[in-house]
Amino acid sequence: MSASQTSSSDVPADVPTLLVKIFGKDRPGITAGLFDTLAAYSVDVVDIEQVVTRGRMVLCALVTEPPPGLEGDLRSTVHSWAESMKMQAEIISGLGDNRPRGLGRSLVTVLGHPLTAEATAAIAARITKTGGNIDRIFRLAKYPVTAVEFAVSGVETEPLRTALVTDAARLGIDVAVVGAGLYRRAQRLVVMDVDSTLIQDEVIELFAAHAGCEDKVADVTAAAMRGELDFEQSLHARVALLEGLDASVVDKVRSEVRLTPGARTLIRTLKRLGYQVGVVSGGFTQVTDDLKERLGLDFAHANTLEIVDGRLTGKVTGEIVDRAGKARLLRRFAAEAGVPLSQTVAIGDGANDLDMLNAAGLGVAFNAKPVVREAAHAAVNFPFLDTVLYLLGITREEVEAADILDIG
């Protein structure tokens, strides 16, 4: 049993205790029936844990030993009750409470589509090899991906993350390792990149399509990817190709933007939980301002295309949002939201997101390039943005229940 479960009191290590295990087909009244049976023997509850999988229940109760001379009768009565309920019982004598967890506690979230037995075995073996102990496993979601969470103790978070991330790439699964504790639920600001993260598109390419210069924009982008231009140089070079484009194209581009699958669910769920949500983009305010209004975002910042006399001038105005700028904006948003930086989450896909991902309490690489995946705290390589919710410990059932309440 896990030491994280309910405990009524501290039990000295030399005090005799009984582990009562009930297993069989789940049905109403099993838990109440077991403890009603035990109540006749004046035992105290030390720990409880119950798991139901595909209609089969395993119920464990750690209780103090009954008064002298009654243990045999307790065992007989529990077995008889279990048989009457068409369940099986096992009772094991021991001393004291559960063994305390080792120092270092982490939560390991594993995402797979599918999640194979081979991958699960490899992850469990790697945890053991790093000196960790698996205290509990819990399923967070069964679709659109299978997501399970391992509670691990006995090893520090950073070395565990390093070991598991290496295995994850080989196994074709995603693994996120975060420190356990209250701060995980207290992360109250989420900031996302826009192009290829919140949306499926690259906004500059949408504008370029209307200007008939897609190939030239792609060439500049490729040069930047090769390191021949930095972000600011490539931005100015690409925007210059839009000179003279009629400003009416802004509305057309807005209508062409495609949200990433799961984006609305992610934002809607986070807002219900009291999170503040923002976006930072190397793209343009002409699009991000619209997204902020449509999605109910709290913060949005991007570059601004200059428009004079109804046409794009081929220039941008104001502060340039580049790699360093995104991290700077994350800090600004956190200060305005009154949220410590350690309680922020950043999501992005490109190298220009790296400073932001590293500055956040949890940096998530979303369908990112290898260099970004390797540097981020966690990586998601499935095309559903709402899978980030599982990294925060939010289950699919909680998301759906909130949706039902909204409809109601």
Side-chain angles (χ1 to χ4, degrees):
M1 293 177 68
S2 166
S4 66
Q5 305 308 303
T6 304
S7 178
S8 61
S9 60
D10 291 331
V11 177
D14 59 348
V15 171
T17 52
L18 299 175
L19 174 60
V20 181
K21 179 180 177 182
I22 305 296
F23 49 99
K25 185 178 180 180
D26 186 31
R27 68 196 61 169
I30 297 296
T31 304
L34 172 63
F35 286 98
D36 188 49
T37 302
L38 293 172
Y41 296 90
S42 302
V43 299
D44 294 330
V45 176
V46 178
D47 198 358
I48 309 169
E49 187 162 359
Q50 179 175 306
V51 176
V52 178
T53 304
R54 210 177 67 179
R56 307 295 292 184
M57 167 194 277
V58 178
L59 170 60
C60 294
L62 186 64
V63 298
T64 56
E65 188 181 56
L70 294 181
E71 182 178 334
D73 189 49
L74 179 151
R75 288 174 176 269
S76 176
T77 302
V78 169
H79 280 286
S80 295
W81 169 80
E83 185 176 350
S84 73
M85 301 299 292
K86 296 184 171 55
M87 306 285 283
Q88 297 181 62
E90 181 181 6
I91 303 176
I92 303 171
S93 298
L95 294 174
D97 201 344
N98 301 293
R99 181 181 64 185
R101 289 182 177 181
L103 296 176
R105 298 182 185 180
S106 301
L107 296 171
V108 178
T109 305
V110 181
L111 308 178
H113 186 61
L115 179 59
T116 66
E118 175 189 9
T120 306
I123 292 298
R126 180 61 67 184
I127 290 172
T128 300
K129 288 179 182 177
T130 61
N133 182 71
I134 300 171
D135 299 317
R136 191 180 185 195
I137 305 174
F138 177 73
R139 186 177 73 181
L140 295 167
K142 59 184 178 182
Y143 70 90
V145 299
T146 300
V148 295
E149 181 178 271
F150 294 73
V152 177
S153 62
V155 61
E156 295 299 326
T157 298
E158 287 302 325
L160 180 61
R161 177 187 295 133
T162 299
L164 292 179
V165 166
T166 301
D167 283 351
R170 175 176 57 82
L171 296 166
I173 58 175
D174 289 338
V175 174
V177 184
V178 299
L182 291 176
Y183 85 94
R184 190 204 196 188
R185 286 280 187 172
Q187 289 166 327
R188 291 302 180 197
L189 173 65
V190 175
V191 177
M192 288 175 275
D193 174 43
V194 176
D195 292 10
S196 299
T197 300
L198 178 62
I199 66 174
Q200 301 176 60
D201 312 283
E202 293 288 331
V203 170
I204 186 68
E205 294 178 2
L206 297 179
F207 277 101
H210 290 281
C213 59
E214 293 170 275
D215 291 342
K216 291 181 179 179
V217 165
D219 289 343
V220 175
T221 301
M225 295 287 285
R226 292 192 299 267
E228 297 169 8
L229 297 171
D230 64 22
F231 177 81
E232 185 170 348
Q233 289 173 321
S234 68
L235 175 67
H236 288 305
R238 286 178 290 180
V239 171
L241 296 170
L242 306 180
E243 183 181 359
L245 197 60
D246 192 282
S248 62
V249 76
V250 169
D251 288 335
K252 295 176 182 177
V253 168
R254 287 175 175 174
S255 68
E256 292 166 351
V257 165
R258 300 167 300 164
L259 292 174
T260 298
R264 288 187 183 277
T265 300
L266 172 68
I267 294 169
R268 182 173 64 243
T269 303
L270 291 173
K271 297 292 288 181
R272 287 172 180 158
L273 291 172
Y275 283 65
Q276 296 188 63
V277 184
V279 294
V280 291
S281 176
F284 310 111
T285 56
Q286 282 82 358
V287 171
T288 57
D289 287 350
D290 181 61
L291 289 170
K292 180 182 180 183
E293 183 177 350
R294 285 166 52 194
L295 299 174
L297 302 173
D298 299 285
F299 304 99
H301 201 95
N303 301 303
T304 299
L305 291 170
E306 184 180 64
I307 298 175
V308 177
D309 296 330
R311 292 192 177 276
L312 275 64
T313 66
K315 299 177 182 179
V316 291
T317 62
E319 177 187 10
I320 298 297
V321 180
D322 55 8
R323 176 169 168 167
K326 289 188 174 185
R328 194 162 53 245
L329 286 163
L330 171 69
R331 293 186 176 92
R332 183 190 303 174
F333 293 168
E336 292 178 12
V339 174
L341 206 58
S342 61
Q343 294 179 4
T344 62
V345 180
I347 310 168
D349 73 297
N352 65 333
D353 297 314
L354 276 173
D355 290 3
M356 176 177 72
L357 298 183
N358 290 330
L362 175 64
V364 181
F366 180 72
N367 291 308
K369 299 168 182 63
V371 66
V372 182
R373 292 200 302 269
E374 292 167 7
H377 301 125
V380 172
N381 293 303
F382 299 101
F384 310 105
L385 194 54
D386 54 338
T387 54
V388 173
L389 293 170
Y390 310 143
L391 306 186
L392 305 178
I394 301 166
T395 70
R396 173 56 60 177
E397 287 78 10
E398 289 172 325
V399 174
E400 292 175 349
D403 284 341
I404 291 171
L405 287 174
D406 251 15
I407 294 171

